[in-house]
Amino acid sequence: MTTDLPSPPAMPLAEAGWDEAARMAALHRYAILDTPPEPDFDDIARLLADSFEAPIAIVNLVASDRQWFKAEIGLGLRETSLDVSICAHALLRQGVMVVPDTRDDPRFASNPLVAAEGGLRFYAGAVLSTVAGLPIGTLCVLDRKPRPEGITPRQHFLLEVLARQVMSQLELRRAITRRDMRTEALRAETREREQAEAALKESQRRYQSLFDSIDAGFCVIQLEYDADGTAHDYRFLETNPAFAEQTGLHDAIGHPLRELAPDTARYWIDVFGGAPSTGLTIRLEEPTPTADGNWYEIHAFRIGAPEDRQVAVLSNQITARRRSELALRELNATLDARVTEAMAAREAAHEALRQSQKLEAIGQLTGGVAHDFNNLLTVIRGSVDLLRRPDLPPDKRMRYIDAIGDTADRAAKVTGQLLAFARRQALTPILFDVGRSLSETADMLGTLSGACIETEARVPDEAFHILADRAQFDTAIINIGINARDAMKGEGRLVIVAEAVTEIPARRAHGPVAGDFIAVSITDTGPGIAEADIDRIFEPFFTTKGVGEGTGLGLSQVIGFAKQSGGDVRVESVASQGTTFTLYLPRAARPTDGVSEPDGLDTTPVDGDGACVLVVEDNEQVGAFATQALRELGYDSVMAPDASHAMAELAKDSTRFHIVFSDVVMPGMNGLELGTEIRRRYPDLPVILASGYSHVLARHGQQGFELLHKPYSVDQLSRVLHKAIGGRARKPIDIP
């Protein structure tokens, strides 16, 4: 490449309609510059190059003094000067900039990268814009040959879609970084609290002997007052075993103190009666006014608002400390009994720790779901607000509409993965050949894994049929394959094997399960899984990947699908040698009547042609959407808020309806029961069920009814109605 060429034109950013300082601030908020390559961005660049059959594709971020490449195919550089930047000109445009021949464009003819022999002759790039509309870079494809014909509408669309995908990855990467920072701050706070608690316990041990080390009693009480505000009693809302052991008040929950201990009630009511109103912490060390002479250390404080009238009470029986001299004299005679008591107390503490860990896991799941859905709702809410702006250009309107649709699809995917993990999704089982499915899935994995990963599928000649949800099966295989790809860092070997087995082998706490199963094993040559992580890899939102490389829901879907389908998953991993995931599913002995693998998706354009639909939906907003959508599709519709109203409509005149479209979860008779009753009374009237999550379907299955999963699109509603009505003759409809 020569060095005596004329200088390129000056950078055009000074002509921009944005504030450059704001643009740079937006770019730096993503903390992406000078970071290592990441598979998600590399995959987008590779897909773009393949789709355009071009040698060069770049995910480019434009800084104030350079342009830096997060991902590049065919260029061999990580950054270039802005003096030779073509992408900087693209930032001044909305959408896509196409230059069929750069030498014919006065902006680039003198650019050294263009003018040199074998230089860049073709350029097509889409702007990477933030939600605020600030351009931070481009997704572009280049060729060393001119393309006078430019790009096709499909290529134009692909560039825009992939550019949005890059921004989605940047937003997800940024969100996960913020989450990790919050998590680390919480861990630091937890460590500080644990250190403080340890210091407190050490201080207490200096004043207590071994025989004082028993668990604290704990209870939550609710005060009861007279009309003049004087406390006259309290009820126990919560107690722990140590409290019952200390006080002798067993099964105290729900009972008033005056009923359980009338002799001592007045004393303790006076002690705790003022705490709800004053909010002051009560600390005292007093003997109980009873004949046993026990001593207690009390720590009580208000919880909740004053009107809740609730007080938490921590109590330690310190009688042993008071009688330490007697305890020392009796040590030899009572040592065995005290050791047994101490061991029991330790076991109780371990059980409390296990319960705490369960609550922590629930908190992690809840936090993960809230985090992901808050991100998705942010996109939806922002797009809706932007759509409400007057005089919005059509291209921007479509962009925001597409963003809402894409975000809704991602939300549905997250919900589906969580339902799969919880084994509460409504599956649609069909009979299909595992070998055929794996052959198709292996081709897809080969594309997703890249050229440096060798993918081999060993499919037997014998047909291995299973009765399961085909889409969930394919998703499980792809989730395992993508995990393997990421573990191998984009280079290695992936082997998929299917075989018939007669049991699911035992592992850890799980014994063997005998039966006729199809085992699909997926083996990679990655570094393996740490022993400490083996038991946690199926937990939702648990992941060992770095920032921006995964959310931790993929394997949760795998285990949930396997369990709900009557199978299981086993994992074997050896450090530095790789990992094998084996998915076990029950084998179908022979084809089942009425359940078969579909030949393809019915994409026939649908016009309601006046057919009448009885919509049964207890949610007013969803029902209004469904009826409006049906009218847009050319259907007539009648709305019923529940099953009883639906049966009343059918009793009036069932002949006016061509189909019933019903929700599953409704008050009173559910949708499955309604469909069964309609099938009994009106056997020729088809019924379509709709559900986003239903314990009814998860427990009892679909019982032969067609199911439309919420959230559904208008196209999906149109196709399922068309399929169900089929060739049934349209009857004249006269609805007042």
Side-chain angles (χ1 to χ4, degrees):
M1 191 174 293
T2 60
T3 59
D4 56 352
L5 294 170
S7 299
M11 281 299 299
L13 295 182
E15 307 170 9
W18 64 77
D19 183 345
E20 179 62 13
R23 190 186 75 84
M24 287 305 303
L27 173 60
H28 288 308
R29 279 195 292 271
Y30 290 103
I32 192 71
L33 293 176
D34 301 315
T35 58
E38 297 178 32
D40 289 335
F41 295 99
D42 292 342
D43 288 346
I44 292 174
R46 186 177 295 106
L47 176 59
L48 182 62
D50 291 345
S51 300
F52 277 74
E53 296 182 355
I56 302 171
I58 303 172
V59 177
N60 173 47
L61 299 167
V62 179
S64 59
D65 58 346
R66 58 179 173 147
Q67 57 181 7
W68 180 80
F69 310 140
K70 177 59 181 177
E72 59 84 17
I73 301 295
L75 192 61
L77 299 173
R78 291 308 302 274
E79 64 178 49
T80 64
S81 169
L82 286 181
D83 294 339
V84 295
S85 173
I86 298 176
C87 292
H89 292 269
L91 296 189
L92 302 176
R93 296 175 54 89
Q94 291 288 339
V96 176
M97 185 181 85
V98 180
V99 184
D101 190 342
T102 54
R103 292 186 182 176
D104 290 342
D105 192 316
R107 295 175 297 176
F108 312 118
S110 61
N111 191 315
L113 298 180
V114 174
E117 181 178 353
L120 305 175
R121 296 292 300 277
F122 166 78
Y123 175 91
V127 177
L128 303 177
S129 296
T130 66
V131 174
L134 294 173
I136 61 172
T138 62
L139 174 66
C140 61
V141 59
L142 303 101
D143 201 343
R144 300 188 187 279
K145 298 177 182 179
R147 298 189 180 188
E149 70 281 2
I151 64 176
T152 66
R154 181 178 179 83
Q155 291 173 327
H156 188 282
F157 175 72
L158 180 63
L159 257 176
E160 290 183 331
V161 170
L162 292 180
R164 290 196 296 270
Q165 184 63 27
V166 170
M167 290 306 301
S168 295
Q169 290 296 330
L170 287 174
E171 291 293 345
L172 178 60
R173 186 181 186 278
R174 178 184 173 196
I176 293 176
T177 299
R178 291 200 301 268
R179 181 196 66 187
D180 291 345
M181 292 175 63
R182 291 195 297 269
T183 301
E184 184 55 35
L186 179 60
R187 288 174 178 168
E189 181 182 344
T190 301
R191 287 194 296 269
E192 291 177 0
R193 184 172 65 251
E194 290 174 347
Q195 292 171 357
E197 291 174 352
L200 177 60
K201 290 179 181 179
E202 181 61 28
S203 175
Q204 290 175 337
R205 279 196 293 268
R206 289 180 299 176
Y207 300 99
Q208 294 182 345
S209 67
L210 171 65
F211 310 107
D212 299 324
S213 301
I214 60 174
D215 287 341
F218 175 79
C219 68
V220 176
I221 60 175
Q222 185 172 51
L223 274 298
E224 297 178 355
Y225 296 90
D226 294 324
D228 61 358
T230 302
H232 67 83
D233 205 347
Y234 60 76
R235 290 181 179 272
F236 291 95
L237 302 182
E238 296 180 38
T239 64
N240 70 345
F243 172 85
E245 289 297 325
Q246 290 178 6
T247 64
L249 300 179
H250 297 277
D251 300 324
I253 296 177
H255 295 281
L257 180 64
R258 288 189 179 277
E259 173 187 322
L260 299 173
D263 295 337
T264 62
R266 185 69 262 170
Y267 172 81
W268 293 112
I269 293 169
D270 292 339
V271 169
F272 303 127
S277 59
T278 65
L280 298 176
T281 298
I282 299 172
R283 296 179 184 272
L284 58 91
E285 186 177 298
E286 295 286 346
T288 60
T290 58
D292 62 9
N294 286 329
W295 287 73
Y296 290 93
E297 185 180 64
I298 303 298
H299 177 200
F301 51 92
R302 183 184 70 198
I303 57 175
E307 56 268 27
D308 294 335
R309 312 188 314 278
Q310 294 184 7
V311 177
V313 181
L314 292 170
S315 62
N316 280 304
Q317 189 185 85
I318 58 173
T319 305
R321 190 177 72 195
R322 294 291 187 182
R323 301 173 180 176
S324 59
E325 293 182 0
L326 177 61
L328 290 175
R329 288 195 299 268
E330 297 175 349
L331 177 61
N332 291 334
T334 61
L335 182 58
D336 290 342
R338 290 179 179 274
V339 169
T340 301
E341 182 182 0
M343 293 298 293
R346 181 177 301 176
E347 180 60 30
H350 288 170
E351 178 61 26
L353 176 60
R354 285 191 289 269
Q355 293 299 323
S356 174
Q357 290 171 336
K358 290 180 182 179
L359 291 176
E360 181 182 358
I362 293 173
Q364 179 184 0
L365 174 61
T366 304
V369 173
H371 169 78
D372 280 7
F373 271 89
N374 279 336
N375 286 337
L376 297 172
L377 291 173
T378 298
V379 176
I380 294 175
R381 179 60 185 271
S383 299
V384 170
D385 290 342
L386 292 172
L387 285 171
R388 288 172 175 163
R389 291 186 173 184
D391 302 324
L392 189 67
D395 58 338
K396 288 188 176 181
R397 183 177 299 277
M398 288 308 302
R399 185 188 310 165
Y400 301 142
I401 291 174
D402 291 342
I404 292 173
D406 293 344
T407 305
D409 290 342
R410 290 196 297 272
K413 181 179 179 182
V414 172
T415 303
Q417 289 174 320
L418 289 171
L419 290 177
F421 170 74
R423 307 172 209 171
R424 291 296 185 269
Q425 61 183 340
L427 299 179
T428 306
I430 62 172
L431 188 74
F432 64 93
D433 181 10
V434 171
R436 175 183 170 189
S437 178
L438 289 179
S439 296
E440 298 171 357
T441 306
D443 292 339
M444 184 183 302
L445 278 177
T447 301
L448 293 174
S449 299
C452 295
I453 292 182
E454 178 187 355
T455 302
E456 178 186 357
R458 299 175 186 172
V459 179
D461 295 333
E462 178 186 0
F464 286 164
H465 287 93
I466 61 174
L467 186 62
D469 190 305
R470 169 71 183 272
Q472 291 292 326
F473 174 80
D474 291 344
T475 300
I477 299 301
I478 290 173
N479 281 337
I480 297 174
I482 289 177
N483 265 21
R485 177 201 67 184
D486 296 343
M488 293 185 287
K489 306 298 183 183
E491 184 173 358
R493 190 163 185 265
L494 190 65
V495 179
I496 305 174
V497 179
E499 60 180 342
V501 298
T502 57
E503 73 170 12
I504 301 176
R507 185 179 185 276
R508 296 181 184 265
H510 302 282
V513 179
D516 194 7
F517 297 96
I518 300 299
V520 180
S521 61
I522 303 171
T523 303
D524 64 60
T525 57
I529 302 173
E531 182 70 16
D533 294 334
I534 285 288
D535 291 333
R536 299 194 63 197
I537 57 176
F538 293 112
E539 294 179 7
F541 299 103
F542 174 79
T543 178
T544 59
K545 298 178 182 179
V547 175
E549 297 181 4
T551 60
L553 281 175
L555 292 181
S556 298
Q557 179 271 336
V558 174
I559 188 69
F561 163 69
K563 293 287 190 180
Q564 194 172 355
S565 300
D568 208 340
V569 180
R570 293 289 185 266
V571 184
E572 297 179 1
S573 186
V574 179
S576 303
Q577 296 185 25
T579 301
T580 297
F581 281 82
T582 304
L583 175 63
Y584 295 89
L585 294 171
R587 183 177 184 181
R590 59 182 179 276
T592 302
D593 293 339
V595 183
S596 60
E597 190 168 8
D599 295 329
L601 180 65
D602 179 13
T603 58
T604 305
V606 175
D607 186 342
D609 196 21
C612 186
V613 183
L614 176 57
V615 178
V616 190
E617 172 61 64
D618 64 309
N619 185 291
E620 183 177 352
Q621 292 178 327
V622 176
F625 163 75
T627 54
Q628 180 63 35
L630 289 171
R631 294 191 186 100
E632 294 291 336
L633 294 171
Y635 291 89
D636 286 323
S637 62
V638 175
M639 176 69 181
D642 53 38
S644 62
H645 285 80
M647 294 303 297
E649 291 290 344
L650 291 173
K652 292 178 186 176
D653 182 10
S654 65
T655 61
R656 60 175 173 161
F657 297 109
H658 295 89
I659 191 168
V660 177
F661 179 54
S662 173
D663 189 20
V664 173
V665 179
M666 297 184 296
M669 180 186 293
N670 62 50
L672 191 61
E673 295 169 339
L674 172 63
T676 302
E677 184 64 16
I678 293 175
R679 179 185 287 170
R680 184 182 69 83
R681 296 190 187 185
Y682 313 102
D684 294 331
L685 184 61
V687 177
I688 300 295
L689 299 180
S691 178
Y693 156 69
S694 173
H695 61 281
V696 176
L697 296 179
R699 182 179 301 171
H700 302 291
Q702 297 171 212
Q703 298 187 13
F705 292 106
E706 185 79 18
L707 177 66
L708 182 60
H709 291 273
K710 293 181 181 179
Y712 52 80
S713 67
V714 175
D715 288 342
Q716 290 171 328
L717 176 60
S718 172
R719 286 196 297 270
V720 76
L721 290 176
H722 175 73
K723 175 182 176 183
I725 296 176
R728 299 179 76 236
R730 300 286 193 268
K731 299 185 288 290
I733 302 298
D734 184 13
I735 300 177

